[in-house]
């Protein structure tokens, strides 16, 4: 069965520093992978998605993620953090399940804090 | 503006008092779903609907009911709420299955429910 593990429930960086949020997945079939972001008091919104077209995926707000099959990872990065990046980030994986219905499985989330 | 609208945003109730959380989308999406978000657990799916009159259980359906009589509306019903249903609830919709790479989930802003 598909699953997602996000390493680190809280990450804190300085403004201007590199952001690295880790996501490892488990899937018996080629997965689709997603990163969603949740700003305070809002719902989740799609940041980027991997669909096998390219291993390096660029998303909104300067974020990107690289799919590494050998490491079963899909880590999210941004070269230079901005205060407005403070939010909770969720990695999600999709795939077929035994019932035939394919759905998203979300990780537990990583809360990113950015300090001056 | 394309959106998913949930009401109310905040709800405090007592054990056993029936309540309904409404959800409406204006994007003519076929797929709708309810999630609950709890610290350290990420988002867990409660129920989903692939189309009108087509609903099915997600991962944590116990204690909840849903209906899909119209395409745009997908209310969540708690017939007899209990304290363990205290959580943050999200309604979401997508054009088709949310795991389809071209069908991202659109989320409402959430309903924070407290059951005492």
């Amino acid at each position: 069965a598909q699953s997602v593990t996000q390493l680190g429930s809280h990450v804190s960086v300085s403004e201007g520093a590199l952001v690295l949020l880790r996501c490892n997945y488990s899937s018996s079939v080629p997965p689709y992978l997603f990163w969603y972001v949740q700003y305070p008091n809002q719902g989740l919104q799609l940041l980027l998605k991997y669909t096998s077209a390219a291993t390096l995926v660029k998303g909104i707000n300067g974020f990107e993620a690289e799919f590494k099959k050998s490491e079963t990872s899909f880590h999210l990065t941004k070269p230079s953090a901005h205060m407005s990046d403070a939010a909770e980030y969720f990695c999600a994986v999709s795939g077929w399940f035994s019932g035939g219905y394919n759905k998203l499985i979300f990780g537990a989330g990583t809360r990113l804090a950015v300090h001056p | 503006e394309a959106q998913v609208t949930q009401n109310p945003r905040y709800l405090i109730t007592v054990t056993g008092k029936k309540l309904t959380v409404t959800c409406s989308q204006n994007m003519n999406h076929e797929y709708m779903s309810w999630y609950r978000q709890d610290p350290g657990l990420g988002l867990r799916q409660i129920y989903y609907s692939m189309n009108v009159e087509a609903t099915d259980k997600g991962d944590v359906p116990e204690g909840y009911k849903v209906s899909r009589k119209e395409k745009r509306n997908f209310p969540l019903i708690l017939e007899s709420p209990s304290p363990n249903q205290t959580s943050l609830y999200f309604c979401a919709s997508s054009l088709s299955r949310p795991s389809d790479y071209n069908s991202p989930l659109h989320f409402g802003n959430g309903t924070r429910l407290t059951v005492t």
Side-chain angles (χ1 to χ4, degrees), chain A residues 38 49 51 94 101-103, chain B residues 31 59 90 97 99 101:
Chain A
Q38 182 182 27
K49 59 189 177 188
T51 63
S94 72
Y101 164 64
N102 57 31
K103 64 177 182 179
Chain B
Y31 178 91
D59 298 314
F90 287 100
R97 294 186 185 91
S99 49
Y101 72 93

Side-chain angles (χ1 to χ4, degrees), chain A residues 6 8-10 38 88-90 106-111, chain B residues 35-44 83-90 111-114:
Chain A
Q6 290 184 241
S9 58
H10 290 82
Q38 182 182 27
E88 189 156 19
Y89 293 80
F90 293 90
F106 287 90
T110 297
R111 187 170 296 279
Chain B
Y35 294 87
R36 61 177 289 174
Q37 183 181 11
D38 301 290
L41 297 177
L43 276 77
R44 294 179 292 168
N84 64 12
Q85 293 177 298
T86 293
S87 187
L88 180 58
Y89 291 86
F90 287 100
T111 295
R112 186 167 292 282
L113 172 65
T114 302

Side-chain angles (χ1 to χ4, degrees), chain B:
Chain B
E1 179 189 353
Q3 58 186 0
V4 178
T5 304
Q6 290 178 236
N7 281 297
R9 288 294 305 274
Y10 301 92
L11 181 56
I12 300 174
T13 189
V14 296
T15 299
K17 185 176 182 180
K18 181 180 178 180
L19 67 90
T20 300
V21 184
T22 63
C23 174
S24 180
Q25 51 93 4
N26 62 1
M27 295 168 280
N28 201 36
H29 284 169
E30 289 193 350
Y31 178 91
M32 297 187 75
S33 181
W34 278 101
Y35 294 87
R36 61 177 289 174
Q37 183 181 11
D38 301 290
L41 297 177
L43 276 77
R44 294 179 292 168
Q45 190 177 51
I46 303 171
Y47 269 94
Y48 66 91
S49 169
M50 296 295 287
N51 213 324
V52 174
E53 303 292 2
T55 63
D56 211 340
K57 297 177 181 178
D59 298 314
V60 288
E62 294 77 21
Y64 304 95
K65 284 177 57 177
V66 293
S67 68
R68 187 96 181 268
K69 292 183 168 55
E70 304 165 284
K71 197 171 187 178
R72 62 184 291 121
N73 295 323
F74 191 47
L76 179 69
I77 303 157
L78 284 71
E79 294 271 1
S80 182
S82 63
N84 64 12
Q85 293 177 298
T86 293
S87 187
L88 180 58
Y89 291 86
F90 287 100
C91 181
S93 72
S94 61
L95 193 61
S96 61
R97 294 186 185 91
S99 49
D100 288 350
Y101 72 93
N102 223 17
S103 180
L105 278 169
H106 296 256
F107 284 82
N109 284 336
T111 295
R112 186 167 292 282
L113 172 65
T114 302
V115 184
T116 60

Side-chain angles (χ1 to χ4, degrees), chain A residues 17-69:
Chain A
L18 171 72
V19 175
L20 171 61
L21 305 182
R22 300 177 186 275
C23 172
N24 287 89
Y25 71 92
S26 171
S27 178
S28 57
V29 297
Y32 292 148
L33 292 157
F34 304 81
W35 276 99
Y36 281 81
V37 59
Q38 182 182 27
Y39 297 106
N41 298 314
Q42 294 185 25
L44 283 71
Q45 53 185 282
L46 183 67
L47 199 55
L48 52 79
K49 59 189 177 188
Y50 166 75
T51 63
S52 76
T55 56
L56 183 62
V57 181
K58 294 188 184 299
I60 61 173
N61 301 335
F63 283 93
E64 61 183 36
E66 185 172 11
F67 172 71
K68 292 187 177 180
K69 185 177 179 180

